[in-house]
Amino acid sequence: MRYVNARDVLPEPLVRELQKVVQGGYLYVPKDEHSRKRWGEESGYREELEARNRRICEEHDSGMSVGKLAERYGLSVHAIRKIVYRKWGGGDSRGGASA
């Protein structure tokens, strides 16, 4: 994050008001909570993990062992078990981006 001079982006009356509170210091302006994105949403990695996890669940349901799935996907047996046995919202046991 780079610093921006308040005079370059704010109207002068607002700069004067801010100077009453923070004179010559730094002021952090957080993002609006409604505009924040969850981890992985910007890059698409969240969807990628969800698709991978669905494939893992489908392959497990088709009879592939947890050990084989761990080997195939380069994950630990523990991580595969978390994906396969995790309980998801709404009673569904599939989906999500864990592990």
Side-chain angles (χ1 to χ4, degrees):
M1 168 195 281
R2 66 184 189 85
Y3 292 99
V4 178
N5 188 322
R7 284 199 170 99
D8 294 340
V9 295
L10 300 174
E12 190 59 34
L14 182 54
V15 172
R16 283 194 298 273
E17 285 299 312
L18 286 170
Q19 285 173 331
K20 292 177 185 176
V21 181
V22 183
Q23 209 172 79
Y26 295 110
L27 178 67
Y28 173 73
V29 180
K31 283 186 176 183
D32 177 29
E33 287 297 318
H34 300 292
S35 67
R36 294 187 80 160
K37 295 186 179 186
R38 293 179 6 191
W39 174 88
E41 285 182 336
E42 184 84 20
S43 66
Y45 193 59
R46 178 176 291 277
E47 290 82 17
E48 203 175 305
L49 285 180
E50 288 173 356
R52 180 206 64 186
N53 291 352
R54 279 192 298 275
R55 284 192 308 274
I56 288 171
C57 290
E58 289 166 3
E59 291 175 19
H60 183 261
D61 289 347
S62 296
M64 188 172 286
S65 72
V66 170
K68 282 279 191 198
L69 288 166
E71 188 177 308
R72 171 181 249 168
Y73 288 94
L75 298 171
S76 69
V77 169
H78 177 73
I80 295 292
R81 283 189 183 128
K82 278 176 43 178
I83 293 166
V84 171
Y85 299 119
R86 182 167 176 151
K87 298 294 180 195
W88 302 100
D92 186 13
S93 63
R94 301 296 184 232
S98 81

